[in-house]
Amino acid sequence: MKEKILVIGAGGQIGKELVEELCQIYGNENIVASDIKAESATPCVFEKLDVMDAQGIAATIKKHNVKEVYLLAALLSATAEKFPEKGWKLNMDGLLNVLELMREKVISKLFWPSSIAVFGPNTPKVNTPQYTVMEPSTVYGISKQAGERWCEYYFRRYGADVRSLRYPGLISYKSPPGGGTTDYAVDIYYEALAKARYECFLSKDTVLPMMYMPDALRATIGIMQADADKIKIRSSYNLAAISFSPEEIAAEIKSHIPSFEITYKPDSRQAIADSWPQSIDDSEARKDWGWKHNYTLSTMTTDMLKHLSEAKK
Ligand code: AKB
């Protein structure tokens, strides 16, 4: 049986599009999609799987002769603040379950996403370096930082080929995000088209690092396809594309929909956003394995509005 690739968390914002992309590249028959939720339409085989269920993961991996895993199941920042214990357990145990399979050499390569949430209020906010103060103040950030340490530990101690990126906020039109602080930058497009107005849960000048999904998919598959000796950082790479505030994205949308209006009503997510960087220095990723982003705020907005308007027809 051919060696397969398993995506855990295939029903989420990244998972859904990543499965499609991997199927295009490697063929539907070589990909296994899995999620805790019942099957959504996937071009490849689907297995219902809970990332907390170590035995279930091992059985699925054995059944399909999986050698490569993308572990995307996680509780994001805002949801994890509501359920801190669950956030910690899911984000940590899920990772350790898969890392153990790497130690046992059942699988040979793992992608695990970290986040800009590993940084905290004492981190330099502009052009945040790869190596700097990291004192995350959210349970999500704490779990991602601990996860990074575990990834590096398994690499050094057991030679586990783990690859990771610190994702910024991700913007996409195929599958909505859920429970994140950067989700406003997706919601705003839907509301702009539906109602020409949006009430933002962050203040107008809250600048955060963001990225359009096609770039995020290229980065994710790019780091997995890179030769192992090019991957010098085994905790997680800083990754960047664009940075903007709600006011700036609103102005960009207004250039397409002149009647669009934005209002601001910051909620508990403001404190999370305030603890994160505004922009990221990702020169290590660019140097080591050739990372380069394509989309700007302007080209992303044109593309988002085009696809969302087409979907409405
Ligand atoms: C979130 O807002 O929680 C995520 C992230 C930046 O990791 N999008």
Side-chain angles (χ1 to χ4, degrees), residues 175-234:
S175 185
T181 302
T182 56
D183 294 6
Y184 91 84
V186 179
D187 300 344
I188 194 170
Y189 288 107
Y190 283 88
E191 299 282 301
L193 284 169
K195 302 183 196 151
R197 87 173 85 89
Y198 179 64
E199 184 174 271
C200 186
F201 57 76
L202 296 182
S203 66
K204 64 178 181 180
D205 50 1
T206 308
V207 176
L208 287 170
M210 301 277 186
M211 182 177 286
Y212 197 30
M213 189 59 87
D215 276 340
L217 295 175
R218 272 193 317 102
T220 305
I221 295 169
I223 192 173
M224 284 296 267
Q225 288 180 335
D227 291 341
D229 62 352
K230 291 221 161 28
I231 310 301
K232 311 280 185 217
I233 295 173
R234 293 299 184 151

Side-chain angles (χ1 to χ4, degrees), residues 76-77 115-116 140 167-170 179-182 276:
L76 296 189
S77 56
S115 160
I116 54 163
Y140 174 65
Y167 283 143
L170 300 181
T181 302
T182 56
W276 288 352

Side-chain angles (χ1 to χ4, degrees), residues 32-61:
V32 181
S34 75
D35 202 278
I36 192 164
K37 293 192 210 98
E39 177 171 11
S40 52
T42 48
C44 58
V45 67
F46 179 89
E47 294 278 358
K48 196 164 182 297
L49 196 57
D50 180 352
V51 72
M52 306 287 279
D53 173 11
Q55 285 181 355
I57 299 174
T60 302
I61 282 173

Side-chain angles (χ1 to χ4, degrees), residues 169-172 185 189 208-216 218 240-245 248-249 252-253 255-256 286 291-305:
L170 300 181
I171 295 150
S172 61
Y189 288 107
L208 287 170
M210 301 277 186
M211 182 177 286
Y212 197 30
M213 189 59 87
D215 276 340
R218 272 193 317 102
I242 42 183
S243 281
F244 55 79
S245 64
E248 286 164 333
I249 190 174
E252 197 59 47
I253 292 173
S255 73
H256 294 261
R286 289 173 194 260
W291 159 245
K292 207 159 119 267
H293 73 279
N294 285 338
Y295 282 89
T296 61
L297 174 57
S298 162
T299 54
M300 173 181 78
T301 299
T302 305
D303 205 59
M304 278 292 283
L305 292 174

